[in-house]
Amino acid sequence: MTITTSPVTAIPAVSPERAFAFFAERLGCQADPADVWYAMRDSREKGAVQDFTVVDVRAEGAYRKAHLPGAISLPIAEITGERVAGLPSGLLVVYCWGPACNGSTKGAMKLAALGREVKEMIGGLEYWVREGWPTEGRRPIDPKTATPADLGLVC
């Protein structure tokens, strides 16, 4: 028996126009750690405008331990109209622990429901650290020696 299609082509690809719309919509809701870091770095080193605010939606204790530089702590349970009114205007980029945590998705959804422009940083703190970008807090994470506990991967 000869196989005429692979699992990749068994379901035909959508048209280029539909693919473009799909990927554009995804990018309208997501940012990756590298793009966030380079924009932050360029604002500090090159005088570029940082046109977004980073929001950490993990628990306050996790934020105090380590967080992205300049991030604002806003745990999911505290995302209310009153708290959101105190945030800077413009785009918010939210993150949580990593890909296995949907806290940033929940946080982004709540912020959008409150009328805020928002993107989710895919990969969260875990992939930020894996890329080698700096953190702040009581115990900044050294990417060279980061343990699963540093990334919130174990209790």
Side-chain angles (χ1 to χ4, degrees):
M1 179 170 153
T2 304
I3 298 175
T4 58
T5 61
S6 73
V8 173
T9 59
I11 297 172
V14 298
S15 71
E17 295 80 15
R18 286 186 58 202
F20 177 86
F22 170 80
F23 292 119
E25 186 163 337
R26 265 183 80 185
L27 291 172
C29 296
Q30 298 175 335
D32 75 355
D35 288 344
V36 173
W37 166 247
Y38 290 127
M40 293 168 72
R41 183 203 63 190
D42 289 352
S43 73
R44 290 186 179 104
E45 295 178 5
K46 300 178 182 178
V49 175
Q50 182 172 322
D51 49 2
F52 59 91
T53 301
V54 179
V55 178
D56 185 323
V57 297
R58 300 173 303 144
E60 180 68 30
Y63 170 86
R64 281 194 305 271
K65 180 179 172 187
H67 56 271
L68 273 62
I72 294 172
S73 177
L74 183 59
I76 295 169
E78 297 176 24
I79 298 176
T80 63
E82 185 177 318
R83 284 290 311 270
V84 171
L87 294 175
S89 62
L91 176 66
L92 303 175
V93 175
V94 302
Y95 73 92
C96 65
W97 288 110
C101 173
N102 67 4
S104 58
T105 304
K106 291 174 183 176
M109 187 177 77
K110 286 178 85 171
L111 289 164
L114 291 167
R116 292 304 304 263
E117 186 178 45
V118 63
K119 286 189 176 191
E120 176 182 29
M121 187 181 83
I122 57 175
L125 180 66
E126 178 183 349
Y127 277 74
W128 180 271
V129 171
R130 284 179 184 222
E131 291 287 341
W133 314 134
T135 60
E136 298 176 336
R138 285 190 324 236
R139 287 185 49 211
I141 301 169
D142 179 351
K144 294 179 188 93
T145 60
T147 67
D150 290 325
L151 303 173
L153 302 176
V154 295
C155 296

